[in-house]
């Protein structure tokens, strides 16, 4: 279970409760390969129902990092210095291979004359995914291949996140897959579900949230629970069970989010609008 919000400079965990029924024979928290906190449960008896309830209170104070981005960070240049490239190598490695079609799509957003600033390119791609592709709720399955998302013209939040991540990697950016919760008026597409988006490493600005589903840049409305170089490392709930072939298997997910107190106005940049 990867349900616990991460501790970071922009989100502070004030409280967290995890209730599992039936009572596990073992319930323990560990740091996984991404350094997120994973709760592991093992059960010693059969049951007709498994219920997992998590409650968290988070102080969220996002700030836009775009004013820190290096002014000479242009697409096509070496965006990172040698030490950064070593640390970012896994996040820069492209995963689904293609014949160059994805990179060609990514180059569509380069300026026809002169160089394109890194932040400008990322904003344009975020806007394009939001405005040109249709969102669909897809509660099962792995993210589809980025080219399939483009060909179908539609996808879920995790499909859009993978598309942006791999497009960014094709042009030399370091990118990761983030999952967690979304709240606020800008999250109408994904309210009530777990959510996925991209995190891109900007020279001077560090890791920055890009949510192409809702057209957002920066961490406003986004609560991270896990971040990894691949979506398989950030699955909120996974496991296995033993039972009879006749056993019925189903799952219901309910997510409720509320703003208890606006302690500090959140800055955000919305780059995509539709309708």
């Amino acid at each position: 279970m990867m349900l616990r919000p991460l501790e970071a400079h922009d989100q502070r965990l004030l409280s967290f409760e995890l209730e599992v029924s039936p009572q596990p024979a073992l319930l323990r928290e560990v740091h996984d390969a991404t350094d997120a906190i994973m709760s592991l449960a093992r059960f010693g008896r059969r049951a007709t129902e498994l219920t997992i309830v998590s409650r968290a209170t988070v102080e969220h104070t996002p700030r836009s990092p775009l004013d820190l981005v290096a002014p000479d960070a242009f697409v096509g240049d070496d965006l990172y210095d040698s030490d950064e490239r070593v640390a970012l190598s896994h996040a820069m490695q492209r995963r689904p291979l293609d014949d160059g079609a994805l990179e060609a799509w990514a180059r569509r957003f380069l300026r026809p004359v002169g160089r394109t600033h890194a932040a400008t390119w990322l904003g344009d791609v975020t806007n394009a995914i939001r405005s040109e592709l249709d969102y669909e709720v897809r509660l099962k399955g792995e993210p589809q291949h980025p080219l399939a998302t483009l060909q179908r013209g539609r996808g879920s939040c995790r499909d859009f996140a993978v598309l942006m991540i791999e497009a960014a990697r094709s042009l030399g950016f370091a990118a990761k897959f983030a999952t967690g919760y979304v709240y606020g008026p800008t999250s109408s597409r994904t309210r009530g579900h777990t959510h996925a988006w991209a995190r891109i490493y900007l020279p001077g600005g560090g890791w920055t949230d890009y949510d192409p589903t809702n057209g957002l840049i920066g961490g406003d409305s986004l609560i991270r629970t896990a971040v990894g170089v691949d979506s398989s490392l950030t699955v909120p709930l996974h496991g296995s069970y033993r039972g009879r072939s006749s056993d019925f298997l189903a799952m219901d997910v309910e997510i409720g989010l509320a703003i208890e107190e606006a302690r500090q106005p959140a800055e955000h940049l919305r780059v995509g609008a539709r309708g």
Side-chain angles (χ1 to χ4, degrees):
M1 295 165 282
M2 303 184 75
L3 305 172
R4 182 188 183 108
L6 298 174
E7 292 275 7
H9 69 90
D10 58 346
Q11 58 181 53
R12 187 163 66 97
L13 187 61
L14 302 181
S15 66
F16 180 74
E17 300 175 6
L18 182 65
E19 299 175 2
V20 181
S21 177
Q23 182 70 32
L26 172 68
L27 181 61
R28 183 173 299 170
E29 291 184 333
V30 300
H31 284 275
D32 76 340
T34 71
D35 207 32
I37 296 179
M38 176 185 291
S39 300
L40 300 177
R42 292 179 181 173
F43 302 89
R45 63 182 179 86
R46 292 177 57 84
T48 58
E49 183 177 88
L50 172 62
T51 302
I52 299 170
V53 178
S54 67
R55 299 183 182 90
T57 303
V58 180
E59 184 180 73
H60 194 213
T61 55
R63 287 290 178 265
S64 173
L66 297 185
D67 54 351
L68 300 175
V69 180
D72 57 351
F74 293 99
V75 180
D77 297 343
D78 288 333
L79 293 170
Y80 315 119
D81 62 35
S82 56
D83 290 336
E84 285 180 321
R85 290 183 69 87
V86 172
L88 298 171
S89 59
H90 289 295
M92 297 176 68
Q93 182 179 350
R94 298 175 63 181
R95 273 144 184 88
L97 300 178
D98 65 86
D99 58 0
L102 183 59
E103 183 175 342
W105 181 83
R107 290 187 174 278
R108 165 191 159 196
F109 303 97
L110 296 176
R111 293 293 183 267
V113 179
R115 295 188 295 173
T116 305
H117 195 272
T120 299
W121 183 88
L122 289 165
D124 288 347
V125 173
T126 303
N127 179 51
I129 295 175
R130 160 75 185 187
S131 61
E132 297 177 6
L133 303 179
D134 293 324
Y135 171 74
E136 65 179 1
V137 177
R138 191 164 58 83
L139 301 179
K140 298 180 180 179
E142 298 178 352
Q144 61 193 10
H145 193 284
L147 292 181
T149 302
L150 292 176
Q151 291 165 0
R152 295 183 64 235
R154 62 178 57 248
S156 65
C157 60
R158 60 189 182 280
D159 300 325
F160 293 163
V162 169
L163 171 59
M164 180 153 194
I165 288 168
E166 294 304 329
R169 287 173 177 169
S170 74
L171 296 185
F173 289 91
K176 291 184 177 182
F177 187 94
T179 186
Y181 311 112
V182 61
Y183 68 92
T186 59
S187 62
S188 58
R189 283 182 162 194
T190 49
R191 188 180 297 117
H193 304 287
T194 53
H195 189 42
W197 60 95
R199 277 174 69 81
I200 314 291
Y201 191 83
L202 293 174
W207 287 107
T208 303
D209 295 292
Y210 284 85
D211 179 6
T213 302
N214 292 303
L216 292 172
I217 296 176
D220 181 40
S221 301
L222 302 172
I223 303 295
R224 300 181 300 277
T225 57
V227 179
V229 294
D230 190 85
S231 62
S232 62
L233 298 173
T234 64
V235 179
L237 179 65
H238 62 277
S240 60
Y241 82 104
R242 296 177 181 177
R244 300 188 180 97
S245 60
S246 59
D247 287 345
F248 177 75
L249 178 63
M251 181 172 68
D252 296 319
V253 179
E254 296 181 9
I255 296 177
L257 294 159
I259 300 176
E260 294 185 355
E261 180 183 359
R263 300 189 181 182
Q264 193 167 352
E267 297 178 3
H268 72 276
L269 175 62
R270 182 171 184 136
V271 300
R274 191 175 188 183

